[in-house]
Amino acid sequence: MTDRTYEFNWDIIGDLQEGRPNLGEEVNLVLYRLMQYTFLDVSVKKFGSEETGRLFRDAGHIAGRFFFDNFLKDHKGLPLDNFLAKLHAVLGENGIRYCRIDSVNVGTEEFSFSVATGIEGVGQDLLEINDYQYDVGFAEGILFKYTGKKFKPGTVNVDTVQEILPKLGDQINLVPYRMLQYTVRDVIEQKIGTEACNQLFYDAGDVAGHFFFDNFMAEFKDLPLNGFVGELQRILKDLKVGILRVEKADPEKGQFTLTVSEDLDCSGLPDLGIEVCNYDEGLIAGIFYKYTGITFNVKEVDCWSSGDRTCRFAVNRA
């Protein structure tokens, strides 16, 4: 890492086998989409739609370049058609990213790209093309590394073509989840600084926590605290978010200490000397608010990336 806190490099993907020995290297697709679209939500509110599109495209470009270096560099000398076939095979074999570059025009430096075959689009109603800027940047980054030229999308197909629609299922490899999170962190930190970037991720997590509660926890709202926490532990583990434990609880004072082991955001990361789970802070705050109707401040005090082997959160009534 350089002096920029969140400058992306492949090490920040982490050692997934070491970090997630029980939960494994996959995560439920709903967590990827929840993260992506809450990032988009708070970013559009802060920067506007056009600038958010540029930021996510830049993040995707970073991800594409690093993806090429780690999965495709040995195939750089292949003819174009063979390279594209290898690209699609590598994406499928690793369960990393299910997007498709349909064709490339070297003369015009343009490519045709099917975004509805990506993990953002499969199985849902079509969105605006601006919602796919991360995917567009990802394709641009791969082609830049392959050709040394700056390609741009000439045709972007949002309609799903059934014969190339991958069978995703509801699990994806954790690599694209972390690529998305930490490349977006990189470009947003460069724009607004570390502290404001951390707050934006907290705010996105808070939005996610509200929707997470509404869709997974609402039926347990009337349970006593112990029962509610038990259901939350089960659901977080089932979705492969992490293994939640309550270390301390003082409901009267509104003070709790929670730990999350094998956290999908940081377990297996190198020791960066900092706590990085601002999105998780907001997620916990949002869930607690929906359960209690009370605002809580959540602060991570220990993290895998600060040298611990679990994430520890101080949760205090505001």
Side-chain angles (χ1 to χ4, degrees):
M1 300 288 287
T2 69
D3 55 354
R4 275 215 326 266
T5 304
Y6 296 116
E7 183 175 15
F8 186 80
N9 63 61
W10 199 255
D11 289 343
I12 209 167
I13 299 297
D15 186 332
L16 300 179
Q17 291 184 341
E18 179 187 8
R20 298 194 22 123
N22 298 294
L23 297 185
E25 300 179 30
E26 292 188 329
V27 65
N28 193 289
L29 178 60
V30 71
L31 275 304
Y32 180 94
R33 289 183 175 173
L34 184 65
M35 178 180 67
Q36 179 170 27
Y37 292 114
T38 53
F39 286 178
L40 281 166
D41 183 0
V42 296
S43 296
V44 168
K45 290 174 181 175
K46 186 171 184 64
F47 306 121
S49 180
E50 184 176 348
E51 180 63 14
T52 293
R54 282 195 292 266
L55 291 170
F56 274 71
R57 191 166 178 169
D58 289 347
H61 200 280
I62 294 170
R65 298 200 312 267
F66 276 93
F67 184 88
F68 182 96
D69 289 343
N70 284 273
F71 292 97
L72 295 164
K73 64 181 179 181
D74 293 339
H75 310 295
K76 183 177 174 68
L78 289 177
L80 177 59
D81 288 345
N82 293 345
F83 174 76
L84 292 180
K86 187 63 181 180
L87 166 62
H88 299 148
V90 168
L91 291 168
E93 289 165 4
N94 291 277
I96 299 294
R97 174 163 287 275
Y98 299 84
C99 61
R100 185 177 181 90
I101 300 174
D102 298 317
S103 62
V104 177
N105 188 322
V106 177
T108 62
E109 297 183 6
E110 294 181 336
F111 64 92
S112 175
F113 181 46
S114 295
V115 293
T117 58
I119 53 181
E120 288 80 5
V122 172
Q124 64 180 10
D125 293 336
L126 297 179
L127 303 176
E128 298 295 329
I129 189 60
N130 201 51
D131 294 320
Y132 294 106
Q133 288 303 302
Y134 179 83
D135 283 353
V136 173
F138 182 76
E140 289 174 338
I142 288 174
L143 291 174
F144 174 76
K145 294 293 289 191
Y146 172 65
T147 64
K149 298 179 179 180
K150 295 183 178 179
F151 279 73
K152 60 183 181 297
T155 303
V156 181
N157 304 307
V158 293
D159 290 331
T160 300
V161 181
Q162 292 300 322
E163 58 265 27
I164 63 174
L165 180 64
K167 296 179 180 179
L168 268 175
D170 62 358
Q171 303 294 309
I172 61 166
N173 191 285
L174 193 53
V175 169
Y177 180 95
R178 290 188 177 174
M179 278 200 305
L180 172 67
Q181 177 164 169
Y182 289 104
T183 56
V184 170
R185 266 192 180 275
D186 185 340
V187 297
I188 290 181
E189 183 192 37
Q190 291 182 69
K191 183 173 180 63
I192 61 176
T194 303
E195 185 175 350
C197 175
N198 289 343
Q199 184 62 51
L200 186 144
F201 272 62
Y202 186 104
D203 293 344
D206 186 51
V207 174
H210 283 66
F211 282 96
F212 185 94
F213 182 96
D214 289 343
N215 286 276
F216 293 104
M217 302 298 302
E219 64 182 297
F220 309 118
K221 181 175 175 61
D222 294 330
L223 289 180
L225 180 62
N226 286 344
F228 177 81
V229 169
E231 294 297 337
L232 180 59
Q233 289 173 316
R234 176 183 61 80
I235 290 170
L236 292 178
K237 188 174 182 179
D238 287 348
L239 292 174
K240 302 183 180 181
V241 177
I243 301 170
L244 173 68
R245 292 185 175 89
V246 180
E247 280 192 344
K248 298 178 182 178
D250 189 334
E252 290 187 5
K253 292 183 178 179
Q255 297 176 347
F256 304 87
T257 302
L258 310 179
T259 65
V260 180
S261 300
E262 304 192 27
D263 185 281
L264 80 167
D265 292 314
C266 72
S267 293
L269 262 65
D271 186 350
L272 307 176
I274 55 172
E275 293 81 28
V276 300
C277 298
N278 309 108
Y279 177 77
D280 288 350
E281 292 172 338
L283 182 75
I284 294 168
I287 291 171
F288 264 66
Y289 176 79
K290 291 291 289 189
Y291 175 59
T292 65
I294 299 169
T295 299
F296 284 82
N297 296 322
V298 181
K299 176 65 178 174
E300 187 180 32
V301 294
D302 294 309
C303 183
W304 187 294
S305 68
S306 63
D308 287 276
R309 288 300 174 262
T310 191
C311 296
R312 183 168 286 105
F313 298 90
V315 183
N316 294 289
R317 186 168 56 218

